[in-house]
Coordinates of all heavy atoms in Angstrom, one line a residue:
G13 N 0.8 -1.2 0.0 CA 0.0 0.0 0.0 C 0.8 1.3 0.0 O 0.3 2.4 0.3
R14 N 2.0 1.2 -0.3 CA 2.9 2.4 -0.3 C 2.8 3.2 -1.7 O 2.8 2.4 -2.7 CB 4.4 2.0 0.0 CG 4.6 1.4 1.3 CD 6.0 0.9 1.4 NE 6.2 -0.3 0.6 CZ 7.3 -1.2 0.7 NH1 8.2 -0.9 1.6 NH2 7.5 -2.1 -0.1
D15 N 2.8 4.4 -1.6 CA 2.6 5.2 -2.8 C 3.9 5.0 -3.7 O 5.0 5.3 -3.3 CB 2.4 6.6 -2.5 CG 2.3 7.5 -3.7 OD1 1.2 7.4 -4.4 OD2 3.2 8.2 -4.1
L16 N 3.7 4.4 -4.9 CA 4.9 4.1 -5.8 C 5.5 5.4 -6.3 O 6.8 5.4 -6.5 CB 4.4 3.2 -7.0 CG 5.5 2.7 -7.9 CD1 6.5 1.9 -7.1 CD2 4.9 1.9 -9.0
Y17 N 4.8 6.4 -6.6 CA 5.4 7.7 -7.1 C 6.3 8.2 -6.0 O 7.5 8.7 -6.3 CB 4.4 8.6 -7.4 CG 4.9 10.1 -7.7 CD1 5.7 10.3 -9.0 CD2 4.7 11.1 -6.9 CE1 6.2 11.6 -9.1 CE2 5.2 12.4 -7.1 CZ 5.9 12.6 -8.2 OH 6.5 13.9 -8.5
S18 N 5.9 8.2 -4.8 CA 6.9 8.8 -3.7 C 8.0 7.9 -3.6 O 9.2 8.4 -3.3 CB 6.1 8.8 -2.4 OG 5.8 7.5 -1.9
R19 N 7.9 6.6 -3.8 CA 9.1 5.7 -3.7 C 10.1 5.9 -4.9 O 11.3 5.9 -4.7 CB 8.6 4.2 -3.7 CG 8.0 3.9 -2.3 CD 7.5 2.4 -2.2 NE 8.6 1.5 -2.3 CZ 9.4 1.2 -1.3 NH1 9.3 1.8 -0.1 NH2 10.3 0.3 -1.4
V20 N 9.5 6.2 -6.0 CA 10.3 6.6 -7.2 C 11.1 7.9 -6.9 O 12.2 8.0 -7.2 CB 9.6 6.7 -8.5 CG1 10.4 7.2 -9.6 CG2 9.0 5.3 -8.9
V21 N 10.4 8.9 -6.4 CA 10.9 10.2 -6.2 C 12.1 10.0 -5.1 O 13.2 10.5 -5.3 CB 9.9 11.2 -5.6 CG1 10.6 12.4 -5.1 CG2 8.9 11.5 -6.7
Y22 N 11.7 9.4 -4.0 CA 12.8 9.3 -3.0 C 13.8 8.3 -3.4 O 15.0 8.4 -2.9 CB 12.2 8.8 -1.6 CG 11.5 9.8 -0.8 CD1 10.2 10.3 -1.1 CD2 12.2 10.5 0.2 CE1 9.6 11.2 -0.3 CE2 11.6 11.4 1.0 CZ 10.3 11.9 0.8 OH 9.7 12.8 1.5
G23 N 13.6 7.4 -4.4 CA 14.6 6.5 -4.8 C 15.7 7.1 -5.6 O 16.8 6.6 -5.8
A24 N 15.4 8.3 -6.1 CA 16.5 9.1 -6.9 C 17.7 9.4 -6.1 O 18.7 9.4 -6.6 CB 15.8 10.4 -7.4
R25 N 17.4 9.6 -4.8 CA 18.6 9.9 -4.0 C 19.6 8.8 -3.9 O 20.8 9.0 -4.1 CB 18.1 10.4 -2.5 CG 19.2 10.6 -1.6 CD 18.7 11.1 -0.3 NE 18.0 12.4 -0.4 CZ 17.3 13.0 0.6 NH1 17.2 12.5 1.8 NH2 16.7 14.2 0.4
A26 N 19.0 7.6 -3.7 CA 19.9 6.5 -3.6 C 20.6 6.1 -5.0 O 21.8 5.9 -5.0 CB 19.1 5.2 -3.1
S27 N 19.7 6.1 -6.0 CA 20.3 5.8 -7.3 C 21.4 6.8 -7.8 O 22.5 6.3 -8.3 CB 19.1 5.7 -8.3 OG 18.2 4.7 -7.9
L28 N 21.0 8.1 -7.6 CA 22.0 9.0 -8.2 C 23.3 9.1 -7.2 O 24.3 9.3 -7.8 CB 21.3 10.4 -8.3 CG 20.1 10.4 -9.3 CD1 19.6 11.9 -9.5 CD2 20.7 9.9 -10.8
A29 N 23.1 9.1 -6.0 CA 24.1 9.1 -5.0 C 25.1 7.9 -5.3 O 26.2 8.2 -5.3 CB 23.6 9.2 -3.6
G30 N 24.5 6.8 -5.4 CA 25.3 5.6 -5.8 C 26.1 5.8 -7.0 O 27.2 5.4 -7.1
A31 N 25.4 6.3 -8.0 CA 26.1 6.5 -9.4 C 27.2 7.6 -9.2 O 28.3 7.3 -9.8 CB 25.1 7.0 -10.4
F32 N 27.0 8.6 -8.5 CA 28.1 9.7 -8.4 C 29.2 9.1 -7.5 O 30.3 9.4 -7.8 CB 27.5 10.9 -7.7 CG 26.6 11.7 -8.7 CD1 25.4 12.2 -8.2 CD2 26.9 11.9 -9.9 CE1 24.6 13.0 -9.0 CE2 26.1 12.5 -10.8 CZ 25.0 13.2 -10.4
L33 N 28.9 8.3 -6.5 CA 29.9 7.7 -5.7 C 30.8 6.8 -6.5 O 32.0 6.8 -6.4 CB 29.3 7.0 -4.5 CG 30.3 6.2 -3.6 CD1 31.4 7.1 -3.1 CD2 29.6 5.5 -2.6
A34 N 30.2 6.0 -7.4 CA 30.9 5.0 -8.2 C 31.8 5.8 -9.2 O 32.9 5.4 -9.3 CB 29.8 4.2 -8.9
V35 N 31.3 6.8 -9.8 CA 32.1 7.6 -10.7 C 33.3 8.3 -10.0 O 34.4 8.4 -10.6 CB 31.3 8.6 -11.5 CG1 32.1 9.6 -12.4 CG2 30.2 7.9 -12.4
A36 N 33.0 8.8 -8.8 CA 34.1 9.5 -8.0 C 35.2 8.4 -7.8 O 36.3 8.8 -7.8 CB 33.4 10.0 -6.7
V37 N 34.9 7.2 -7.3 CA 35.8 6.2 -7.0 C 36.6 5.9 -8.3 O 37.8 5.8 -8.3 CB 35.2 4.9 -6.5 CG1 36.1 3.9 -6.4 CG2 34.6 5.2 -5.1
A38 N 35.9 5.8 -9.5 CA 36.5 5.4 -10.7 C 37.5 6.6 -11.1 O 38.7 6.3 -11.6 CB 35.4 5.3 -11.8
V39 N 37.1 7.8 -11.0 CA 37.9 9.0 -11.3 C 39.2 9.1 -10.5 O 40.3 9.1 -10.9 CB 37.2 10.2 -11.2 CG1 38.2 11.5 -11.4 CG2 36.1 10.3 -12.3
V40 N 39.0 8.9 -9.2 CA 40.1 9.0 -8.2 C 41.2 7.9 -8.4 O 42.3 8.1 -8.6 CB 39.7 9.1 -6.7 CG1 40.8 9.0 -5.8 CG2 38.8 10.3 -6.5
V41 N 40.6 6.7 -8.4 CA 41.6 5.5 -8.5 C 42.1 5.4 -9.9 O 43.4 5.2 -10.1 CB 40.8 4.2 -8.3 CG1 41.7 3.0 -8.5 CG2 40.3 4.2 -6.8
G42 N 41.3 5.6 -11.0 CA 41.8 5.5 -12.3 C 42.8 6.6 -12.6 O 43.8 6.4 -13.2
S43 N 42.6 7.9 -12.1 CA 43.5 9.0 -12.5 C 44.7 8.8 -11.7 O 45.9 9.1 -12.3 CB 42.7 10.3 -12.0 OG 41.6 10.6 -12.7
A44 N 44.8 8.3 -10.5 CA 46.0 8.1 -9.8 C 46.9 7.1 -10.5 O 48.1 7.2 -10.7 CB 45.7 7.7 -8.3
L45 N 46.2 5.9 -10.9 CA 47.0 4.8 -11.6 C 47.5 5.4 -13.0 O 48.6 5.0 -13.3 CB 46.1 3.6 -11.8 CG 45.7 2.9 -10.5 CD1 44.7 1.7 -10.8 CD2 47.0 2.4 -9.8

């Protein structure tokens, strides 16, 4: 019974934060190497 639109909206934080963290790790590690 949870509102799916609200879950999609709040899910953007986890999805985008995870993506930005992944790219940040890739840039730092890859650039150093």
Side-chain angles (χ1 to χ4, degrees):
R14 296 172 296 193
D15 181 72
L16 185 59
Y17 170 71
S18 69
R19 289 179 63 76
V20 170
V21 170
Y22 277 86
R25 177 175 296 175
S27 296
L28 296 183
F32 288 137
L33 175 60
V35 173
V37 170
V39 170
V40 172
V41 175
S43 297
L45 293 176

